[in-house]
Amino acid sequence: MQAAVDAKAIAALEKSLGFKTLIDILQSYLGTAEDLARALGDASSQQDWQLAARLAQDFAGPAGGLGLTAIANTARTLAQGARDNASPHVLAAAASD
């Protein structure tokens, strides 16, 4: 089982950016992630999987760069499922993770 966060990536970011800057970036990401989560929930409720895939990619990129591996992996799974035309049941399950 993969860790929810990549401790080495976070440590490297802290070393290169400094603790305060890293915390500022993480707080900014959390604010953006809340908006994305609401939009993703709405898209999933409407079964607009193409929009959900785009929103999931918006989650995945920054999350991966910040060492938030669980968020990044879940978002990538949803985006890939939408691109592969997975069933709505599979996509809804991925969106709820």
Side-chain angles (χ1 to χ4, degrees):
M1 183 173 166
Q2 190 172 9
V5 297
D6 182 342
K8 289 181 183 179
I10 292 173
L13 286 169
E14 181 182 358
K15 184 176 180 180
S16 66
L17 300 172
F19 180 75
K20 182 179 180 336
T21 300
L22 177 58
I23 294 301
D24 289 345
I25 290 169
L26 287 170
Q27 287 176 331
S28 176
Y29 175 74
L30 289 175
T32 301
E34 288 175 357
D35 294 338
L36 286 170
R38 274 190 289 280
L40 181 57
D42 291 345
S44 298
S45 294
Q46 297 170 12
Q47 294 190 2
D48 184 346
W49 301 119
Q50 294 311 307
L51 176 58
R54 287 192 301 274
L55 292 167
Q57 282 303 127
D58 290 346
F59 260 112
L66 292 171
L68 306 173
T69 53
I71 293 171
N73 290 340
T74 299
R76 286 184 187 117
T77 297
L78 173 58
Q80 188 62 52
R83 284 192 296 272
D84 293 344
N85 294 314
S87 73
H89 175 73
V90 169
L91 293 171
S96 69
D97 283 349

PDB file of all heavy atoms in Angstrom, residues 22-38:
ATOM      1  N   LEU A  22       6.575  26.634   1.956  1.00  0.00           N
ATOM      2  CA  LEU A  22       5.890  25.363   1.716  1.00  0.00           C
ATOM      3  C   LEU A  22       4.507  25.366   2.358  1.00  0.00           C
ATOM      4  O   LEU A  22       3.523  24.962   1.720  1.00  0.00           O
ATOM      5  CB  LEU A  22       6.720  24.187   2.246  1.00  0.00           C
ATOM      6  CG  LEU A  22       6.070  22.807   2.119  1.00  0.00           C
ATOM      7  CD1 LEU A  22       5.719  22.479   0.677  1.00  0.00           C
ATOM      8  CD2 LEU A  22       6.968  21.747   2.724  1.00  0.00           C
ATOM      9  N   ILE A  23       4.412  25.842   3.582  1.00  0.00           N
ATOM     10  CA  ILE A  23       3.117  25.904   4.262  1.00  0.00           C
ATOM     11  C   ILE A  23       2.169  26.833   3.507  1.00  0.00           C
ATOM     12  O   ILE A  23       0.985  26.513   3.315  1.00  0.00           O
ATOM     13  CB  ILE A  23       3.278  26.345   5.728  1.00  0.00           C
ATOM     14  CG1 ILE A  23       4.029  25.286   6.522  1.00  0.00           C
ATOM     15  CG2 ILE A  23       1.930  26.655   6.373  1.00  0.00           C
ATOM     16  CD1 ILE A  23       3.381  23.912   6.545  1.00  0.00           C
ATOM     17  N   ASP A  24       2.671  27.975   3.043  1.00  0.00           N
ATOM     18  CA  ASP A  24       1.839  28.901   2.261  1.00  0.00           C
ATOM     19  C   ASP A  24       1.308  28.231   0.993  1.00  0.00           C
ATOM     20  O   ASP A  24       0.131  28.383   0.643  1.00  0.00           O
ATOM     21  CB  ASP A  24       2.625  30.158   1.892  1.00  0.00           C
ATOM     22  CG  ASP A  24       2.905  31.062   3.076  1.00  0.00           C
ATOM     23  OD1 ASP A  24       2.265  30.899   4.144  1.00  0.00           O
ATOM     24  OD2 ASP A  24       3.784  31.942   2.948  1.00  0.00           O
ATOM     25  N   ILE A  25       2.166  27.493   0.313  1.00  0.00           N
ATOM     26  CA  ILE A  25       1.763  26.800  -0.915  1.00  0.00           C
ATOM     27  C   ILE A  25       0.716  25.734  -0.608  1.00  0.00           C
ATOM     28  O   ILE A  25      -0.287  25.603  -1.309  1.00  0.00           O
ATOM     29  CB  ILE A  25       2.987  26.194  -1.634  1.00  0.00           C
ATOM     30  CG1 ILE A  25       3.853  27.316  -2.209  1.00  0.00           C
ATOM     31  CG2 ILE A  25       2.564  25.209  -2.716  1.00  0.00           C
ATOM     32  CD1 ILE A  25       5.202  26.854  -2.704  1.00  0.00           C
ATOM     33  N   LEU A  26       0.943  24.959   0.452  1.00  0.00           N
ATOM     34  CA  LEU A  26      -0.021  23.920   0.828  1.00  0.00           C
ATOM     35  C   LEU A  26      -1.376  24.522   1.212  1.00  0.00           C
ATOM     36  O   LEU A  26      -2.423  24.003   0.819  1.00  0.00           O
ATOM     37  CB  LEU A  26       0.528  23.073   1.979  1.00  0.00           C
ATOM     38  CG  LEU A  26       1.653  22.115   1.603  1.00  0.00           C
ATOM     39  CD1 LEU A  26       2.287  21.518   2.854  1.00  0.00           C
ATOM     40  CD2 LEU A  26       1.165  21.023   0.676  1.00  0.00           C
ATOM     41  N   GLN A  27      -1.358  25.635   1.940  1.00  0.00           N
ATOM     42  CA  GLN A  27      -2.618  26.288   2.314  1.00  0.00           C
ATOM     43  C   GLN A  27      -3.338  26.808   1.071  1.00  0.00           C
ATOM     44  O   GLN A  27      -4.563  26.698   0.965  1.00  0.00           O
ATOM     45  CB  GLN A  27      -2.360  27.418   3.307  1.00  0.00           C
ATOM     46  CG  GLN A  27      -2.020  26.901   4.684  1.00  0.00           C
ATOM     47  CD  GLN A  27      -1.659  28.008   5.658  1.00  0.00           C
ATOM     48  OE1 GLN A  27      -1.159  29.061   5.278  1.00  0.00           O
ATOM     49  NE2 GLN A  27      -1.899  27.751   6.935  1.00  0.00           N
ATOM     50  N   SER A  28      -2.602  27.362   0.143  1.00  0.00           N
ATOM     51  CA  SER A  28      -3.201  27.835  -1.100  1.00  0.00           C
ATOM     52  C   SER A  28      -3.811  26.665  -1.873  1.00  0.00           C
ATOM     53  O   SER A  28      -4.928  26.769  -2.393  1.00  0.00           O
ATOM     54  CB  SER A  28      -2.147  28.545  -1.954  1.00  0.00           C
ATOM     55  OG  SER A  28      -2.676  28.921  -3.188  1.00  0.00           O
ATOM     56  N   TYR A  29      -3.091  25.553  -1.946  1.00  0.00           N
ATOM     57  CA  TYR A  29      -3.600  24.373  -2.642  1.00  0.00           C
ATOM     58  C   TYR A  29      -4.888  23.877  -1.978  1.00  0.00           C
ATOM     59  O   TYR A  29      -5.836  23.510  -2.667  1.00  0.00           O
ATOM     60  CB  TYR A  29      -2.557  23.253  -2.678  1.00  0.00           C
ATOM     61  CG  TYR A  29      -3.118  21.991  -3.292  1.00  0.00           C
ATOM     62  CD1 TYR A  29      -3.319  21.900  -4.664  1.00  0.00           C
ATOM     63  CD2 TYR A  29      -3.498  20.918  -2.510  1.00  0.00           C
ATOM     64  CE1 TYR A  29      -3.871  20.763  -5.241  1.00  0.00           C
ATOM     65  CE2 TYR A  29      -4.053  19.780  -3.070  1.00  0.00           C
ATOM     66  CZ  TYR A  29      -4.238  19.710  -4.437  1.00  0.00           C
ATOM     67  OH  TYR A  29      -4.797  18.583  -4.982  1.00  0.00           O
ATOM     68  N   LEU A  30      -4.914  23.873  -0.655  1.00  0.00           N
ATOM     69  CA  LEU A  30      -6.114  23.396   0.041  1.00  0.00           C
ATOM     70  C   LEU A  30      -7.325  24.248  -0.296  1.00  0.00           C
ATOM     71  O   LEU A  30      -8.429  23.720  -0.486  1.00  0.00           O
ATOM     72  CB  LEU A  30      -5.881  23.356   1.553  1.00  0.00           C
ATOM     73  CG  LEU A  30      -4.934  22.266   2.034  1.00  0.00           C
ATOM     74  CD1 LEU A  30      -4.689  22.395   3.536  1.00  0.00           C
ATOM     75  CD2 LEU A  30      -5.466  20.885   1.703  1.00  0.00           C
ATOM     76  N   GLY A  31      -7.150  25.556  -0.390  1.00  0.00           N
ATOM     77  CA  GLY A  31      -8.253  26.426  -0.777  1.00  0.00           C
ATOM     78  C   GLY A  31      -8.747  26.114  -2.173  1.00  0.00           C
ATOM     79  O   GLY A  31      -9.960  26.003  -2.421  1.00  0.00           O
ATOM     80  N   THR A  32      -7.819  25.949  -3.088  1.00  0.00           N
ATOM     81  CA  THR A  32      -8.174  25.600  -4.464  1.00  0.00           C
ATOM     82  C   THR A  32      -8.803  24.213  -4.518  1.00  0.00           C
ATOM     83  O   THR A  32      -9.786  24.001  -5.246  1.00  0.00           O
ATOM     84  CB  THR A  32      -6.917  25.650  -5.357  1.00  0.00           C
ATOM     85  OG1 THR A  32      -6.377  26.967  -5.306  1.00  0.00           O
ATOM     86  CG2 THR A  32      -7.228  25.272  -6.790  1.00  0.00           C
ATOM     87  N   ALA A  33      -8.273  23.285  -3.751  1.00  0.00           N
ATOM     88  CA  ALA A  33      -8.781  21.912  -3.747  1.00  0.00           C
ATOM     89  C   ALA A  33     -10.226  21.861  -3.256  1.00  0.00           C
ATOM     90  O   ALA A  33     -11.016  21.047  -3.750  1.00  0.00           O
ATOM     91  CB  ALA A  33      -7.892  21.019  -2.891  1.00  0.00           C
ATOM     92  N   GLU A  34     -10.584  22.715  -2.308  1.00  0.00           N
ATOM     93  CA  GLU A  34     -11.971  22.743  -1.837  1.00  0.00           C
ATOM     94  C   GLU A  34     -12.916  23.129  -2.979  1.00  0.00           C
ATOM     95  O   GLU A  34     -13.971  22.522  -3.155  1.00  0.00           O
ATOM     96  CB  GLU A  34     -12.124  23.716  -0.669  1.00  0.00           C
ATOM     97  CG  GLU A  34     -11.501  23.215   0.610  1.00  0.00           C
ATOM     98  CD  GLU A  34     -11.553  24.232   1.738  1.00  0.00           C
ATOM     99  OE1 GLU A  34     -12.033  25.373   1.524  1.00  0.00           O
ATOM    100  OE2 GLU A  34     -11.106  23.886   2.834  1.00  0.00           O
ATOM    101  N   ASP A  35     -12.522  24.148  -3.745  1.00  0.00           N
ATOM    102  CA  ASP A  35     -13.345  24.564  -4.889  1.00  0.00           C
ATOM    103  C   ASP A  35     -13.424  23.453  -5.940  1.00  0.00           C
ATOM    104  O   ASP A  35     -14.489  23.179  -6.490  1.00  0.00           O
ATOM    105  CB  ASP A  35     -12.781  25.836  -5.532  1.00  0.00           C
ATOM    106  CG  ASP A  35     -12.869  27.040  -4.617  1.00  0.00           C
ATOM    107  OD1 ASP A  35     -13.713  27.037  -3.681  1.00  0.00           O
ATOM    108  OD2 ASP A  35     -12.102  27.998  -4.826  1.00  0.00           O
ATOM    109  N   LEU A  36     -12.278  22.821  -6.204  1.00  0.00           N
ATOM    110  CA  LEU A  36     -12.258  21.728  -7.173  1.00  0.00           C
ATOM    111  C   LEU A  36     -13.116  20.558  -6.703  1.00  0.00           C
ATOM    112  O   LEU A  36     -13.811  19.930  -7.508  1.00  0.00           O
ATOM    113  CB  LEU A  36     -10.821  21.253  -7.416  1.00  0.00           C
ATOM    114  CG  LEU A  36      -9.932  22.159  -8.254  1.00  0.00           C
ATOM    115  CD1 LEU A  36      -8.491  21.676  -8.203  1.00  0.00           C
ATOM    116  CD2 LEU A  36     -10.428  22.206  -9.689  1.00  0.00           C
ATOM    117  N   ALA A  37     -13.078  20.269  -5.417  1.00  0.00           N
ATOM    118  CA  ALA A  37     -13.869  19.152  -4.876  1.00  0.00           C
ATOM    119  C   ALA A  37     -15.361  19.414  -5.054  1.00  0.00           C
ATOM    120  O   ALA A  37     -16.119  18.511  -5.428  1.00  0.00           O
ATOM    121  CB  ALA A  37     -13.532  18.926  -3.413  1.00  0.00           C
ATOM    122  N   ARG A  38     -15.788  20.650  -4.802  1.00  0.00           N
ATOM    123  CA  ARG A  38     -17.201  20.987  -5.003  1.00  0.00           C
ATOM    124  C   ARG A  38     -17.581  20.830  -6.476  1.00  0.00           C
ATOM    125  O   ARG A  38     -18.609  20.235  -6.811  1.00  0.00           O
ATOM    126  CB  ARG A  38     -17.477  22.412  -4.538  1.00  0.00           C
ATOM    127  CG  ARG A  38     -17.797  22.525  -3.065  1.00  0.00           C
ATOM    128  CD  ARG A  38     -18.307  23.908  -2.704  1.00  0.00           C
ATOM    129  NE  ARG A  38     -17.260  24.918  -2.757  1.00  0.00           N
ATOM    130  CZ  ARG A  38     -16.367  25.134  -1.806  1.00  0.00           C
ATOM    131  NH1 ARG A  38     -16.381  24.396  -0.721  1.00  0.00           N
ATOM    132  NH2 ARG A  38     -15.451  26.077  -1.933  1.00  0.00           N
TER     133      ARG A  38
END
